[in-house]
Structures are given as structure tokens and as C-alpha cells.
């Protein structure tokens, strides 16, 4: 099962990466203007839309739920890249540097995924997509609270851990939806 998960994970990430780099070509690194709380809010909008569609059973805007989970993956990577950049980093980054940073963050997340998969025994495969959506929303509320506390927590792992978990949960959903096949 682990080898299958690795292959599916890599295929999903490759699809997300392709879209991200195409948007980088079209928009440059406009995302650099966003502060972490703004990225968190953008993630919240995406996750809340998914939940709304799940609850209503219909949608009026063409972008599907799968597209929103891809966006969650990519916004989480943006948050991780943004968090790792120095304060004085330029707004405009070279596409090659962005691709490298994307790959570095995803590689770190991949290691986390397989460590957790080992310990949890791929429990995510038995979860409902709606439950994973709720977990992502919960992690967003946690992230917002940590941001509101200025990062001064007593026991939390911090915002980075939440971004990494949300990224992996979104990949799980995309695998469950067939994107990793």
C-alpha cells in the first residue's frame, strides 16, 4: 500500500505543481504580496466553499471541488514558501527559484506524510471526504487563532505544522477523488 500511496501522492503533487508553475508564468509571484494571515483567509475561503457545495449538493460557479482542493495544496505551499523567505526578499522571484522552493516544501511534506502514514496506518483511506474537509477547516481555525496570538502558543506546533497537515489532507482527498490514478 505504501508504494501505491507514494505513486499517487507524487502524481497529485505533479498535477498541482504544473498548475502552480503555469500560474507563476501568467501572474509572476503576485502571491508574495500576501501576508500569512491573508493566505490563511484565502485557504479558509476555499475550504468553506467546498463545505458549502458538499452540504448543498450543488454549485453555481464552474470551478469544481477538485479544483478547490488543488488550490488548497498550492496555497499551503505558498504559505510555507512565504514563511521561509526573509522579510526583505523581493516581491518578484525568478520562476526557477519558485520551482525549487515549491519542490523543497513538497519534499519536506512528503517525508511528513510517510512518517505519519507509518504511525496511523493510512487511516485517511477510510475517512470520508466531508470529514477531511471539516479537519481542514478545523486546522484553519487553529491557524487563525495562532496568528491572532502572534504565534505565542503554549502547546501548539505552530502554523507551519497546520499548513503541512492541510496540504497532506488535500492531497488525500485528491487521491480519493482519483487524481492520483
Amino acid at each position: 500500500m505504501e508504494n501505491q500511496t507514494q505513486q499517487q501522492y507524487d502524481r497529485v503533487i505533479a498535477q498541482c505543481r504544473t498548475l502552480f508553475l503555469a500560474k507563476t508564468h501568467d501572474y509572476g509571484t503576485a502571491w508574495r504580496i500576501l501576508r500569512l494571515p491573508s493566505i490563511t483567509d484565502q485557504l479558509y475561503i476555499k475550504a468553506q466553499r467546498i463545505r458549502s457545495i458538499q452540504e448543498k449538493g450543488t454549485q453555481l460557479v464552474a470551478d469544481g471541488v477538485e479544483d478547490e482542493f488543488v488550490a488548497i495544496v498550492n496555497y499551503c505551499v505558498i504559505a510555507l514558501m512565504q514563511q521561509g523567505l526573509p522579510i526583505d526578499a523581493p516581491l518578484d522571484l525568478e520562476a526557477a527559484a519558485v520551482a525549487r522552493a515549491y519542490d523543497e516544501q513538497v519534499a519536506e511534506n512528503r517525508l511528513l506524510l510517510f512518517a505519519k502514514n507509518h504511525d496511523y496506518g493510512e487511516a485517511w483511506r477510510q475517512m470520508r471526504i466531508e470529514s477531511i474537509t471539516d479537519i481542514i477547516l478545523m486546522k484553519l481555525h487553529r491557524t487563525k487563532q495562532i496568528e491572532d496570538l502572534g504565534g505565542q502558543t503554549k502547546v501548539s506546533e505552530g502554523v507551519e505544522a497546520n499548513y503541512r497537515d492541510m496540504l497532506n489532507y488535500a492531497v488525500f482527498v485528491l487521491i480519493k477523488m482519483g487524481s492520483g490514478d
Side-chain angles (χ1 to χ4, degrees):
M1 183 67 79
E2 189 170 306
N3 191 32
Q4 176 190 9
T5 300
Q6 290 172 354
Q7 292 170 1
Q8 291 172 317
Y9 185 89
D10 292 344
R11 282 193 289 268
V12 166
I13 289 297
Q15 293 168 4
C16 295
R17 182 184 189 273
T18 297
L19 178 63
F20 183 83
L21 294 179
K23 287 188 174 193
T24 298
H25 174 271
D26 291 353
Y27 305 133
T29 53
W31 54 266
R32 284 280 297 122
I33 201 75
L34 297 173
R35 292 171 283 193
L36 285 178
S38 298
I39 298 169
T40 301
D41 286 346
Q42 187 63 34
L43 282 160
Y44 179 80
I45 290 167
K46 299 295 184 185
Q48 187 57 46
R49 179 170 184 263
I50 292 167
R51 184 171 171 158
S52 176
I53 291 168
Q54 289 170 341
E55 289 176 349
K56 293 174 185 171
T58 60
Q59 66 187 63
L60 299 180
V61 177
D63 294 340
V65 168
E66 189 171 338
D67 296 328
E68 298 293 16
F69 279 109
V70 169
I72 288 173
V73 169
N74 285 336
Y75 274 111
C76 285
V77 174
I78 285 171
L80 294 165
M81 289 189 297
Q82 193 78 304
Q83 189 176 27
L85 287 169
I87 292 173
D88 61 349
L91 290 179
D92 296 319
L93 303 174
E94 292 183 21
V98 172
R100 278 191 307 277
Y102 189 101
D103 294 343
E104 288 168 7
Q105 293 303 330
V106 167
E108 192 168 332
N109 244 69
R110 192 176 189 278
L111 293 173
L112 174 67
L113 168 86
F114 292 110
K116 286 191 173 190
N117 243 11
H118 173 271
D119 291 355
Y120 289 93
E122 295 205 326
W124 62 270
R125 288 195 181 272
Q126 305 308 313
M127 294 176 67
R128 297 174 186 93
I129 290 173
E130 292 80 3
S131 297
I132 296 173
T133 302
D134 290 349
I135 290 169
I136 290 171
L137 280 164
M138 177 189 67
K139 290 196 172 282
L140 282 163
H141 282 280
R142 287 179 178 181
T143 302
K144 288 169 73 170
Q145 177 67 21
I146 293 166
E147 289 170 345
D148 290 348
L149 291 171
Q152 301 301 310
T153 61
K154 293 182 179 183
V155 295
S156 170
E157 295 175 297
V159 295
E160 180 178 343
N162 284 293
Y163 289 132
R164 291 197 181 284
D165 285 347
M166 288 184 282
L167 191 163
N168 281 338
Y169 276 118
V171 171
F172 293 158
V173 169
L174 291 166
I175 289 171
K176 289 176 81 64
M177 293 178 89
S179 292
D181 296 334

